[in-house]
Every structure is written in C-alpha cells, then in structure tokens.
Amino acid sequence: MILDYIGLKEINGSLIVLDDVENASFEEVVDIHMDDGTMRRGRIVQMEGNRVVVQVFEGTRGISLDNTSTRLMGHPMEMPLSPEILGRVFNGSGRPIDGLGEIFPLKKANINGTPINPVSREYPKNYINTGISTIDTLMTLIRGQKLPIFSGSGMKHNELAVQIARQSKISDDSGSNFAIVFAAMGVKNDVAEYFRRSFDESGVLQKVVMFLNLANDPIIERILTPRCALTVAEYLAFELGMHILVIMTDMTSYAEALREFSSSKGEIPGRKGFPGYLYSDLASLYERAGMIRGKKGSVTQIPILTMPNDDVTHPVPDLTGYITEGQIVLDRSLDSSGFYPPVSVLPSLSRLMKDGIGAGFTREDHSALSNQLFASYAKVMDARSLASVIGEEELSPVDKKYIEFGKLFESQFVNQGFNENRTIDQSLDLGWKLLSTLPRGELDRVDDAILDKYYSKSENAEKTEQEPEEE
C-alpha cells in the first residue's frame, strides 16, 4: 500500500524531517510533491524510530511545511541502464541533459552497487596504453587498477584527464570494446563545456558516458555523481563485457560535499571537519574497480583530486593513498616551468605495474628501464642539491652528466604535447636514448644482457645523429 504523508515536521538546509513514518528503509527514494504541482526527489538518509530525515536532491527552497506531500517509493535510488547509454551526457543524478531524450532501460540498478566477492576477484594484469610516456613507462596503468592523480588548484589536471580519455586504449584489441565513463563533480560551466567540446571534436564522444555536476548544482547531487557513474561502468563491464576506464574529477569537491552534508545532519566532525566515515565512504567508491573471474570486462579507475595548498597529508589524498594502488603526482614547479604533463616522477608509482609489463605485455626491457630511470633521476635530484650548495662548476664529471641527463629527461621524456600520442615502444626507446647520455657503468639497475641489446643500440643511434653535426 502506497501512503502519501502530508506536511513536514521541519526543514533544515537540504534536509526535511517527517514523523510517524512506517515501513521506511534506509536509502529509500522519496517523491516530494509541492503546492505548485512540481515534484522533487529525495532519499532517506537517517532513521530514528518512526522519524525519518530525507535529503532533497534539488534543495528545499520553496517547500512548504504544511501542504507538501511525501511518498515513499519502496526502492533505493536506481540508474536506468541500456547499451544505448554510450555517447550520452547526464547530470550528476543521472538524468539526460544532452537533449536526446530519456534512456529506455533494459534494467535498473541500485547506484550503491553490490560488493564484489573478494574470492571471485581476478588479479589485475595487462596494461592500458595512455599514450603518455611518464605514465606508460614509469607508473603503468593496469587493467582493473585504481590509480589516482594528485594535483593542485590551477594545475593542468583537466587537460591531462581529457588527453587520457582521448588516447587510452587497451593493448590487445582494436578498441571496439573499450569505453570511458567520465564523471565531473563541482566543475564550472566553462570547464564542463571544455570537456564536452574536447570529446566531441576528437571524435571519442560516442565511446564516452559523461556525468556533469556543475558548481551551481545542488551540492547533494555531487554525492550521487560518482555512484551513478560507477553503476554504469559496472553494467558495461560485467554485463556487456567491455573494458571501462572511469575518470572522476574532482574527488576533493565530492569530499567537501560530503562534509557539508554531514554537518547539516549534526554529525560529529573528524579531521579538518570531514566526517569520521570519510575513509569507508571513499573505499565504497574506489573498491568498485576490478575484474571478476568469468567476466570478460574490467573497471579501471583514475580518480583526480586537488590537494588544498598542495598538502599531500590533507585527509582526502591521505585516505585515497591508503585505498588505491599507487598515485600519479603533479608538480607545481614543473607546471610553472611550462612542462606538460607536469608529472613528478619520484613520488609517483603504480603498485600493480610489475605484473602487467614485460615480455608478453609491453616489452622485455620495460621493468629494467623503469627501475634505471627512477634511480638515475633520483641521482639528478642529489646532484642538483649539491650544485645549489657548491655550485655546478665544482661538481664531478659524473654529476655534471646527471645534471645534463635531468634537463634532457624533463624536456624530452616528461614534457609531451597535448596532442602527442606515443606508443609504448616509442616511450621505451626514448628512455634508452636518454640513458645513453650516461656512462654505462652508472646503469647499475639493468643486467648485462638487456644493456648489450638496448643500451648499445641507443648509443649507436646517438652517435649517428651527432656525426653530421661534427662534420
């Protein structure tokens, strides 16, 4: 039996309170009919006996305490799903905003998802090629992984997100079953338009499902956006057998929305005002990535978050780092020097890359080259620190070689054009070419067999390039 409850007990921010409600369920969807005939949607977020607190997605402006009719729908919030969802654009709560009409669903799914049985999970292997040298070579993205990007306010993470979405492809396929789910939270109108225009102009929009929550949209809608996006990703991956890359930006905006909502419920705040359950809430999103045994598809996540004051100990990046399998850190000094993408190599890592690279996946020398580039670049930082104390002229010949290597590494390997799409072989060959500027005795992370095969080839190529200049 469907009951309509007339009137409200109280209104508090985006929350309304009803008394004497029977047979209600947590997270149940509620339809709210107003005096003027319009309808808003909400969900039950708190229950105390027969007293329920409802979160109104569109806000409570204009809602009356006396004549508002509230109806419990008997199910949690659901996302309509169909193969035709590819190429569509939705708002933060999953409603189409591209003017192409409603989705005709084959099924509807709870946006909170269902937990993946740990026993049925398959270990992530095989890589996703992003076309960006630093990511593909040094912090490889593995299919089924969750690899966040730690950025800062004003840095080029939006451009990087677009480039990854535009260039990414799986290694062993033409791309026919690869797609992107893109969720933007709390973005300004011009940024949202930039995302839509970039995908449209590059021709990838038909392989992208977009969720756009604007900065002036209700803050409560922001909490739903990643859940709607991940529900679509799980449907495409585990029911249609597609490989899905989910890009979510900006998770800091999501966490701040969660903080505001928690405060409006009167919950006791934790570190920096965020709710004490921020860790488990983020985990409920990030852990929806992965592969399931017996299913062809996979869900890979790249959450992007901006660190306030570039502080990596801020609760959002701090907790994200505990849950995810590595991180890609963007560096403000590289960004201000004009390098793009400004990836800070040393603090970045991918914890799963060791099992998705090498012979049979990328190339046999990938792991050794990656280790050597990390080690050599770390020595570049040591040499620069020493030079700042005693001056570059006083450095040893080897340290001067490292200084030169560092300049080449940042200008040729880290720096890459926005429209430049490098294959994995091009990136690896470029790495060897740069290492050939160092004495062979300094390459102590690579065994002799690989050195004989690749270092000598790079060294000969370097000499061939230099000979015409000497003549």
Side-chain angles (χ1 to χ4, degrees):
M1 182 174 64
I2 296 177
L3 294 177
D4 285 358
Y5 295 90
I6 308 298
L8 307 173
K9 177 67 175 176
E10 63 180 84
I11 300 173
N12 178 17
S14 62
L15 305 177
I16 60 175
V17 181
L18 291 85
D19 277 343
D20 302 321
V21 178
E22 297 180 353
N23 300 321
S25 302
F26 187 66
E27 297 275 354
E28 184 175 351
V29 172
V30 172
D31 282 352
I32 301 152
H33 298 269
M34 299 168 59
D35 283 347
D36 57 5
T38 59
M39 188 197 79
R40 298 184 189 177
R41 181 149 282 194
R43 64 172 180 168
I44 296 175
V45 294
Q46 198 170 329
M47 299 173 61
E48 298 171 2
N50 286 344
R51 179 187 178 97
V52 299
V53 179
V54 176
Q55 169 191 36
V56 185
F57 300 148
E58 295 90 349
T60 55
R61 183 186 295 272
I63 291 183
S64 164
L65 280 171
D66 300 323
N67 300 321
T68 301
S69 171
T70 307
R71 176 179 296 182
L72 276 61
M73 302 306 293
H75 60 79
M77 181 153 181
E78 296 175 328
M79 182 75 195
L81 300 170
S82 162
E84 68 181 31
I85 208 166
L86 279 171
R88 298 298 301 271
V89 182
F90 301 88
N91 67 6
S93 56
R95 292 177 181 167
I97 55 172
D98 52 8
L100 299 178
E102 295 292 326
I103 295 290
F104 294 99
L106 295 182
K107 63 173 290 188
K108 292 186 176 182
N110 182 352
I111 65 166
N112 296 301
T114 53
I116 300 175
N117 185 340
V119 178
S120 67
R121 281 186 181 269
E122 196 169 302
Y123 192 81
K125 284 189 176 179
N126 216 330
Y127 79 112
I128 294 177
N129 186 10
T130 65
I132 298 169
S133 291
T134 45
I135 296 176
D136 290 344
T137 308
L138 301 173
M139 52 218 74
T140 313
L141 178 63
I142 303 300
R143 204 182 299 170
Q145 185 180 10
K146 38 195 181 290
L147 185 66
I149 295 176
F150 289 179
S151 182
S153 179
M155 294 173 69
K156 292 185 172 61
H157 48 272
N158 290 331
E159 289 84 349
L160 183 58
V162 167
Q163 186 173 4
I164 290 173
R166 191 180 68 237
Q167 296 179 176
S168 292
K169 62 180 187 293
I170 52 177
S171 58
D172 56 356
D173 196 85
S174 61
S176 57
N177 66 339
F178 181 76
I180 306 285
V181 175
F182 190 91
M185 293 162 276
V187 297
K188 296 185 291 185
N189 276 285
D190 58 336
V191 176
E193 184 55 34
Y194 167 72
F195 287 140
R196 292 181 69 163
R197 189 180 68 252
S198 298
F199 293 148
D200 198 17
E201 290 174 353
S202 59
V204 299
L205 188 58
Q206 293 308 308
K207 285 289 185 182
V208 176
V209 184
M210 288 188 73
F211 290 84
L212 297 176
N213 169 261
L214 302 180
N216 61 345
D217 285 338
I219 199 165
I220 302 309
E221 191 180 274
R222 207 162 298 162
I223 298 172
L224 305 177
T225 306
R227 290 176 167 82
C228 292
L230 289 165
T231 302
V232 169
E234 288 170 342
Y235 169 73
L236 295 173
F238 303 135
E239 297 196 25
L240 300 187
M242 301 182 73
H243 296 287
I244 305 299
L245 176 60
V246 184
I247 301 175
M248 301 186 291
T249 179
D250 169 5
M251 293 305 296
T252 304
S253 295
Y254 168 82
E256 287 171 350
L258 196 68
R259 176 171 62 182
E260 185 170 326
F261 172 54
S262 169
S263 177
S264 68
K265 288 198 294 181
E267 294 174 342
I268 298 172
R271 193 158 50 123
K272 289 191 184 294
F274 289 97
Y277 52 81
L278 178 63
Y279 177 86
S280 56
D281 191 279
L282 290 174
S284 72
L285 300 178
Y286 297 147
E287 292 296 347
R288 292 173 74 170
M291 302 171 70
I292 299 177
R293 191 174 293 110
K295 303 283 187 180
K296 290 183 179 178
S298 63
V299 176
T300 309
Q301 283 187 28
I302 299 184
I304 300 173
L305 50 95
T306 52
M307 301 179 289
N309 300 319
D310 296 345
D311 179 15
V312 76
T313 64
H314 184 274
V316 180
D318 189 32
L319 297 178
T320 295
Y322 283 120
I323 303 164
T324 53
E325 294 128 1
Q327 69 273 339
I328 299 169
V329 181
L330 302 189
D331 183 75
R332 193 170 294 279
S333 62
L334 286 174
D335 186 58
S336 59
S337 300
F339 293 110
Y340 172 86
V343 176
S344 182
V345 170
L346 295 181
S348 302
L349 80 155
S350 168
R351 293 190 180 96
L352 299 185
M353 72 177 278
K354 64 184 185 300
D355 299 304
I357 62 172
F361 297 112
T362 54
R363 214 168 70 180
E364 58 177 350
D365 59 314
H366 188 162
S367 179
L369 174 66
S370 172
N371 291 338
Q372 187 59 60
L373 286 173
F374 268 115
S376 298
Y377 194 59
K379 290 182 180 177
V380 169
M381 293 296 141
D382 293 340
R384 285 177 177 173
S385 299
L386 185 60
S388 67
V389 177
I390 66 173
E392 196 169 325
E393 297 78 13
E394 302 298 322
L395 293 176
S396 67
V398 172
D399 283 341
K400 288 179 180 177
K401 285 275 190 183
Y402 274 113
I403 294 288
E404 187 60 31
F405 167 78
K407 292 175 183 175
L408 292 172
F409 181 78
E410 290 171 352
S411 62
Q412 295 182 24
F413 194 87
V414 175
N415 192 40
Q416 184 173 336
F418 175 67
N419 294 308
E420 187 178 357
N421 187 356
R422 296 176 183 167
T423 66
I424 187 67
D425 285 327
Q426 286 174 328
S427 295
L428 295 175
D429 289 343
L430 179 58
W432 282 114
K433 179 183 174 183
L434 296 175
L435 285 178
S436 69
T437 63
L438 295 172
R440 178 166 174 150
E442 291 295 314
L443 308 185
D444 52 4
R445 300 299 179 97
V446 188
D447 62 42
D448 290 337
I450 290 179
L451 268 180
D452 291 340
K453 185 174 181 180
Y454 292 99
Y455 178 83
S456 303
K457 185 171 67 174
S458 301
E459 199 173 30
N460 293 335
E462 190 81 14
K463 287 177 182 175
T464 306
E465 287 179 9
Q466 290 175 359
E467 279 170 8
E469 296 175 6
E470 292 170 3
E471 290 173 3

